[in-house]
Amino acid sequence: MHYYERLAWERDCQNVTQKEIAAYIGIKQQQYARYEKGVNEMPIGYFMKACEYLHVSADYILGLPKDLPYPNR
């Protein structure tokens, strides 16, 4: 599953409309719809705001494993 499919799935599960999340991000619904369809690549700033609005981690939306180790620095 691509990140944009997971983002759309999570939004649907939470009964959030594209218009609501687009307004939170500060873009038009049509532009957001293109991101969810994979037509356009979502900028990282928009991606972060979408994750924030949906209360999900970017790791989850990207499909990364939960036990992924963080670098020791």
Side-chain angles (χ1 to χ4, degrees):
M1 181 180 285
H2 294 282
Y3 80 92
Y4 51 84
E5 294 169 318
R6 190 174 292 232
L7 198 57
W9 181 80
E10 187 63 35
R11 181 185 57 73
D12 284 340
C13 287
Q14 293 188 30
N15 295 317
V16 174
T17 66
Q18 287 182 343
K19 190 172 183 175
E20 290 170 327
I21 197 165
Y24 181 79
I25 294 171
I27 59 176
K28 294 183 179 182
Q29 181 272 328
Q30 294 85 353
Q31 183 178 2
Y32 184 81
R34 288 192 299 270
Y35 295 142
E36 273 195 4
K37 290 179 185 173
V39 174
N40 294 64
E41 192 76 26
M42 184 180 279
I44 191 71
Y46 293 173
F47 180 71
M48 290 171 58
K49 287 187 94 79
C51 290
E52 212 173 73
Y53 188 81
L54 296 171
H55 304 286
V56 295
S57 73
D59 287 356
Y60 166 73
I61 296 297
L62 293 171
L64 298 174
K66 289 182 180 184
D67 58 350
L68 194 66
Y70 289 95
N72 295 328
R73 295 184 194 214

